[in-house]
């Protein structure tokens, strides 16, 4: 959980940790329920005895007060590590994600979840289409040289400028395919593209770069797409994202 770096999660997780009773999931508003889901999916990731829903997870977690105590102490440490000015995800007000904060794949899916089911789907590929939310999640690694990538997956992803990102689709994506067309026509079709980036495969968490709009593309299989970010990259992230391909 050392990647946590936004005030909203830290404040809410501290509130959970300091509560003597587990939350009643049915009484939580959507954002708070999703925040608890994000926490629960991290804390119970390797626990085989947890039940199927969020109330089961809450009951299990609150059986371990030492975990809650450590969580509370950790939030104090992480408060001092917030290093970017962040903005809420304006395209999805009920989704508790912040632009330029870091999230794991499991947390991202939990942030978009509906209902009280604890388990989130497996997400191993770089892209994930969520039809109910009309959002394309694009998670990519900038420095692939040091990872375990085959030649067909060493895509060229990098920051062109603070507002432009070059990103390559999966190797099977054609420009005229449903996926390719969705990328190109998302503005008129009403879907959203959300790129998430990390520097290396050693990092579990990705920075949310914010909503992005299609600018142009070259080729196909893969498509080399230029996206325009709604929020400029902070200077330090731009320097690191550009240097990753130098």
């Amino acid at each position: 959980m050392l990647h946590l770096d936004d005030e909203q999660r830290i404040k809410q997780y501290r509130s959970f940790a300091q509560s003597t009773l587990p939350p009643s999931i049915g009484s939580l508003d959507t954002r708070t329920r999703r925040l608890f889901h994000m926490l629960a999916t991290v804390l119970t990731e390797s626990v085989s005895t947890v039940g199927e829903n969020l109330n089961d997870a809450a009951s299990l977690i609150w059986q371990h007060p030492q975990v809650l105590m450590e969580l509370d102490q950790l939030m104090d440490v992480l408060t001092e590590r917030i290093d970017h000015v962040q903005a809420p995800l304006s395209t999805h007000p009920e989704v508790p994600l912040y632009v330029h904060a870091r999230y794991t794949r499991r947390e991202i899916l939990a942030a978009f979840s509906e209902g009280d089911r604890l388990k989130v789907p497996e997400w191993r590929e770089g892209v994930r289409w969520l039809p109910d939310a009309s959002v394309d999640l694009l998670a990519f690694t900038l420095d692939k040289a040091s990872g375990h990538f085959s030649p067909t997956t060493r895509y060229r992803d990098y920051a062109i400028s603070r507002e432009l990102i070059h990103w390559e689709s999966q190797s099977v994506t054609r420009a005229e395919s449903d996926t390719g067309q969705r990328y190109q026509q998302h503005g008129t079709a009403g879907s959203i593209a959300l790129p998430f980036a990390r520097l290396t495969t050693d990092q579990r968490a990705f920075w949310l770069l914010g909503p992005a709009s299609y600018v142009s593309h070259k080729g196909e299989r893969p498509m080399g797409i230029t996206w325009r970010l709604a929020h400029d990259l902070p200077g330090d992230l731009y320097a690191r994202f550009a240097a990753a391909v130098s």
Side-chain angles (χ1 to χ4, degrees):
M1 299 182 68
L2 295 179
H3 65 278
L4 268 70
D5 60 354
D6 70 271
E7 185 176 357
Q8 176 189 225
R9 269 184 300 175
I10 291 172
K11 181 179 179 180
Q12 185 60 62
Y13 288 5
R14 179 184 287 117
S15 177
F16 286 141
Q18 293 177 352
S19 175
T20 57
L21 296 174
S24 173
I25 303 304
S27 67
L28 301 179
D29 61 68
T30 300
R31 284 180 66 89
T32 307
R33 174 183 56 77
R34 287 171 167 169
L35 281 164
F36 178 75
H37 196 171
M38 293 167 72
L39 174 63
T41 195
V42 172
L43 292 182
T44 66
E45 182 175 357
S46 60
V47 179
S48 59
T49 57
V50 67
E52 295 185 355
N53 60 53
L54 296 180
N55 279 310
D56 293 333
S59 178
L60 176 64
I61 293 168
W62 262 259
Q63 291 175 32
H64 299 275
Q66 74 279 11
V67 172
L68 295 171
M69 182 181 300
E70 185 173 346
L71 177 65
D72 188 25
Q73 294 170 349
L74 178 60
M75 293 307 102
D76 288 337
V77 174
L78 296 182
T79 298
E80 304 301 321
R81 297 187 180 183
I82 298 174
D83 55 4
H84 294 112
V85 176
Q86 297 152 352
L89 187 58
S90 59
T91 57
H92 295 80
E94 295 290 294
V95 174
L97 298 179
Y98 276 68
V99 179
H100 302 146
R102 298 174 71 203
Y103 306 94
T104 66
R105 284 186 172 98
R106 294 172 67 89
E107 289 175 303
I108 295 165
L109 293 179
F112 280 95
S113 66
E114 300 291 346
D116 66 349
R117 182 175 173 80
L118 172 62
K119 187 175 181 179
V120 296
E122 290 293 326
W123 178 13
R124 300 185 185 280
E125 301 80 12
V127 299
R128 184 96 186 184
W129 165 242
L130 302 181
D132 291 343
S134 295
V135 62
D136 274 293
L137 305 175
L138 315 175
F140 55 92
T141 304
L142 291 143
D143 179 9
K144 299 179 177 64
S146 58
H148 301 288
F149 290 85
S150 68
T152 58
T153 57
R154 288 185 177 175
Y155 307 144
R156 296 173 60 245
D157 306 318
Y158 55 89
I160 299 171
S161 67
R162 290 184 62 182
E163 65 175 5
L164 295 176
I165 292 289
H166 182 275
W167 172 81
E168 289 197 345
S169 70
Q170 291 183 298
S171 60
V172 298
T173 304
R174 294 182 179 273
E176 296 304 316
S177 67
D178 289 345
T179 300
Q181 286 294 299
R182 191 173 66 245
Y183 294 156
Q184 296 173 72
Q185 306 296 330
H186 73 93
T188 55
S191 65
I192 303 296
L194 288 182
F196 294 79
R198 64 182 177 182
L199 289 173
T200 68
T201 55
D202 295 334
Q203 298 173 334
R204 295 187 66 213
F206 298 76
W207 281 280
L208 169 56
L209 306 188
S213 57
Y214 170 87
V215 176
S216 63
H217 79 275
K218 292 183 179 180
E220 58 180 23
R221 303 181 63 186
M223 296 173 65
I225 299 179
T226 296
W227 298 100
R228 186 180 305 278
L229 301 174
H231 301 265
D232 287 0
L233 287 172
D236 65 315
L237 291 188
Y238 170 58
R240 296 161 78 182
F241 290 0
V245 296
S246 62

